[in-house]
Amino acid sequence: MADLTTNFLGITSPNPFWLASAPPTDKEYNVRRAFEAGWGGVVWKTLGSEGPPIVNVNGPRYGAIYGADRRLLGLNNIELITDRPLETNLEEMARVKADYPDRALIASIMVPCEEEAWKAILPRVEETNADGIELNFGCPHGMSERGMGAAVGQVPEYIEMVTRWCKKYYDRPVIVKLTPNITDVRYPARAAKNGGADAVSLINTISSITSVNLDNFSPEPSIDGKGSHGGYCGPAVKPIAMNMVAEIARDPETHGLPISGIGGVTTWRDAAEFMSLGAGNVQVCTAAMTYGFKIVQEMITGLSEWMDKKGYTSTSDFIGQAVPNVTDWQYLNLNYIAKAKIDQDACIKCGRCYIACEDTSHQAIWMKEGRVFEVNDAECVACNLCVDVCPIEGCITMERMPAGATDPRTGQTVQDEYANWTMHPNNPSSQAAE
Amino acid sequence: MNSPTTSGIVAGRLNEQQLADNFSDLHAPLDPHEASVAADRCYFCHDAPCVTACPTDIDIPLFIRQIATGQPEGAAKTILSQNILGGMCARVCPTETLCEQACVREEAEGKPVIIGQLQRFATDTLMAQGIHPFAREGNTGKRVAVVGAGPSGLACAHRLAMRGHDVVIYEASTKAGGLNEFGIAAYKSTDDFAAKEVDWLLKIGGITIETGKALGQGLNLSDLTSEFDAVFLSIGLGGVNDLAASGADKIGVTDAVDFISLLRQTDDLKTLPIGRNVVVIGGGMTAVDAAVQSKLLGAENVTIAYRRGRDRMAASEFEQDLATSKGVRILYNLQPVAFHGNGSVVEVEFEYTADTPTGLQGTGETMRIPADQVFKAIGQTLETSEQLKIERGKIAVTGAGRTSVGGVWAGGDCALGGEDLTVTAVAEGRDAAEDIHQTLMGKA
C-alpha cells in the first residue's frame, strides 16, 4: 500500500482526504467520528465573530437532484455558518487538535470585511493550535447578503485586502476559499496570491434552485412556501470545479500556488483526477453527507492501490501531472483522426448509439438486420456521443486512424504531424507553419 | 378434517388460512418505490426489442419512462391504447418468452426489466381511480355483432365502440371474460379481477352483452350477417381432444379446463374436492395450471406426464419451474396407454416414448402411477357447424381476421394464426375492429 501521507503548506496529514468546512464538521462529536473513520484532516465549520451566533432556518435546509435509482447527484443547501457560540467551537477545536495531533485541523472563518473583526478573531483561533485558517469567501447564500462570503469572493480587491490582514495578524498558513459564482476564477485566485495567501481552495457551492414544487410553486427547499437560492454541490459540480482548479493551475500568474480541490469528490478516482489537475489535496462534503464517514476507507484503499499499480510512492508523484495537458481549443491537434468502433460481442443491442447519432448527430451508425449496429466511417466524425450514451462501458471505443490511412469521410490522407487551428487555412488569422 | 393424505377425491385437505395463502397473488403488486426502482432500469432502447416481442405492440419504453417520471396514469393510457386488457395481460402474459426475454438487460445481465409487473402497476393505478381514459367517437349508426366475450371479443368490441359503432356481444356462458374468467389459474387473477376488468372496459359505452347465446344456441351466422353490418367471431376452442388410452371413461378422469373453470367459479375453496394422487396429462399452460392448483388445494402427489421431452413442452421454463417449486413432479416421454380401476380410476399406465426420425414412438416399456384423479390437458378444438373455411382445425383468416364469409371476421384462439395467448387474442380483436371500421366506413 502506497503511503498517502500528504504535505500541504507544511501541514502533514496521513492522507489527502480532508472534510470540507460544512455541516459534517460543525461539532467535536462529528469531527472525532471523522478522525476515527480515517479522514486525514478537517476544515472546521465556518466561525463567525464573537457575540450572538447566527440563526438557521427551522425548516428544510437541503434540496437534491437524483439520477437513476434515486442516486443523489447534486445537493443544495441554505445552511449558514456555525450557529453555535464562538467560544464553544474554539474550546472543542483545541481539545480535538490535542487528541489528534497527526491530523490536519483548519479553522474556516467568516467575519465582516473590517480589519478590526479579523484582528479580533485571529489570535483566538491561533490559541486552539489549529494548523491553519481558511477564509470563507464563497458561501453564496445568506451571509453574502450581509456583505460576507461570496460578496467578498466576487470582488478581487476585497479578497486581496482581507488576505493581507490575515497574513498580518496570523502566523500559520492562510487558505483562501473561492466562490465559483464568478465569470473568471483566475481573477480572485490572483487577488488571493497578491494578498499573500498560502493557498486557494475551490470551489465553494454554486448558486442554485434544485427544484420547484408544482403544487404550490415554491422553490425547494421550501420554507413556508418560499425558497431562496442555495449552494449546489455533490457529484454534479465536479466538472465545473475541476475546470476551475485547472484554470488556476495553468495560469502563469498563479501557477504553483497550492490548491485544495473541492467539488463533488466522491471516490478515490475523483480525488486522483483533482490532484492530477494540480490540487495538493481534496476536500469532501456531499459524499460523506450521503454515505457517512466510512466512505473515506474506499478512497484510501483505492488511491493507494492505483498508486501502487502506477509505481507512485508519494502523492507528490502525480499531483499536477495533467496540468500540462490542459490547453486551449485552438491548440488541439486537428490531424488527430479517430473513428468509433463497436464491439459486437459486448453490444446488448439497445440501439441508443444508433438513435443518438441518427437523430442528433451525423447519421454514422447503421442499424442492420438483427439489430446489428455498425459504424459508417464515411460519416463518423468521432464525436463520442455514442460512447457517452452506451450503457455498456468499453463497448464502443474511439480508435485513432494511423498516419497514411485515408479518412473515408474526407478522402484525405491522415497526417502524422501536429497541426492546430492557428495553422489552419480556414483561419483568417492563421500563420504559415514555417 | 381431511388432510393431503386422505384417500380419494375429497374437499377440505387444507384449512382456510393455507388455502388463502396458496391462492394469493403469484407476484405481489409493486408498491410505488419498487416500481420506481424497477423503472429506472429501463434503457429506453431505440426500436425496442420488447415492443417487437409484444403481440399488441405496446410502447414499453415509453410507458416505463412515464412511470419513472411519476405518471403511472399516463403509462396506463399508453398501454391500454394498444391493449385494452393490459391489466390482465400484465398478470397472465408469459413475459419470460415475450417482452422480458427480448429485454436487452436480459442479454446484458440475465435480469430483464420486470415489464409485466410494471405494466400491472400502471394499469392497477389507473383502474383503482375508476378512470376509463377513452371516449367514443361520433356515432356511425353501424351495428356489429361479436360472438364470444373472451379477450378477443372484448378487445374488438371496445375498439369498435370507440370508433363510434354500436356493439352487441353474445356470450354462451353466464358471464363475460372467456378464458380470463374461466381458464386462468386463480393465483394469476385474484380478487375477481377478470370480472372487474370487464366492467371497467364496458365504461366506454355502446356495448351490450347478451349471455346464454352462442352459434347453435339461439344464434346462427346467416341471421347475424343479415341483422348486423358486420360480425366478429371469437368463439374460442369449445371442444377438448380425446385420449387414445383405454379406460378414459373411468370415474375421476376429467378435462383439466373444466377443473380450472370450476375452481375459478368456486367461492369457498374448502368445498372443492381434489384427489390425493393427481395425474395431469399434457405439456401446456393448462396442464401446469391444473397441476399447480391441485397441489395448492392440498393433493399429496401431483404429477404432470408429458409425452415428449422437456425442450418440446409448450409451458414455458418459468411455468415449469413454478410447478416444480410448488412440489409438482414433471415426467417426460410418457404417453398414457390405459386407465386402471374398478369404476374409479386408481392408476394410470404409461408407455415410455422416444423421439425418432419417423416421429414419436412408444418404446414398449411401461410403468404405472397411482391416481385417484386424472386431468386431461392435451389441447382444445374448434366446435362449429357454420359454413366457414377451416384450416388446420381453425377458422381460416386473411389480413386482419377476414374469414371466407363476407362481413365476417374472426380472432382469438378460434382463428388460425398466432399463439393461443390472451395478448395475441387482444391484438387480433383490436386489428379486426380497425379493419371492420375501415370497411364499414368505406375506406378499405
Side-chain angles (χ1 to χ4, degrees), chain B residues 70-78 122 125-126 129 131 133:
Chain B
Q71 319 168 60
E73 297 87 355
K77 196 169 174 191
T78 300
T125 302
L126 184 91
Q129 297 169 27
I131 298 169

Side-chain angles (χ1 to χ4, degrees), chain B residues 4-16:
Chain B
T5 54
T6 307
S7 295
I9 303 175
V10 299
R13 292 183 182 275
L14 299 178
N15 67 36
E16 208 154 328

Side-chain angles (χ1 to χ4, degrees), chain A residues 68-69 348 350-352 354-355 367 371 391, chain B residues 37 40 43-47 49 104 107-108:
Chain A
D69 207 12
I348 60 169
C350 68
R352 294 210 320 205
Y354 167 81
I355 200 63
M367 180 170 171
R371 299 185 70 81
Chain B
V37 171
D40 272 349
Y43 283 145
F44 202 74
C45 296
H46 167 67
D47 189 16
V104 300
E107 165 132 0

Side-chain angles (χ1 to χ4, degrees), chain A residues 64-74 232 235-236, chain B residues 36-37 40-41 68:
Chain A
I65 66 157
Y66 300 101
D69 207 12
R70 215 175 145 89
R71 292 268 163 171
L72 193 143
L73 296 183
Y232 196 46
Chain B
S36 168
V37 171
D40 272 349
R41 293 190 66 236

Side-chain angles (χ1 to χ4, degrees), chain A residues 184-187 189-190 193 245-257 323:
Chain A
D184 187 339
V185 79
R186 290 175 299 182
Y187 290 90
R190 289 169 189 163
K193 190 181 179 194
V245 165
E247 286 298 292
I248 294 169
R250 74 191 187 97
D251 178 17
E253 290 189 40
T254 50
H255 182 72
L257 178 67
V323 175

Side-chain angles (χ1 to χ4, degrees), chain B residues 20 46 55 98 124 151 232 259 302 319 337 387 392-393 428 437:
Chain B
H46 167 67
L98 297 171
D124 280 4
F232 179 71
F259 165 66
V302 179
E319 292 287 335
V337 289
Q387 293 305 305
R392 281 180 278 159
E428 290 170 358
H437 173 66

Side-chain angles (χ1 to χ4, degrees), chain B residues 166-183:
Chain B
D166 288 327
V167 183
V168 179
I169 305 180
Y170 297 103
E171 168 55 43
S173 79
T174 56
K175 246 178 176 176
L179 290 180
N180 287 358
E181 179 60 44
F182 298 98

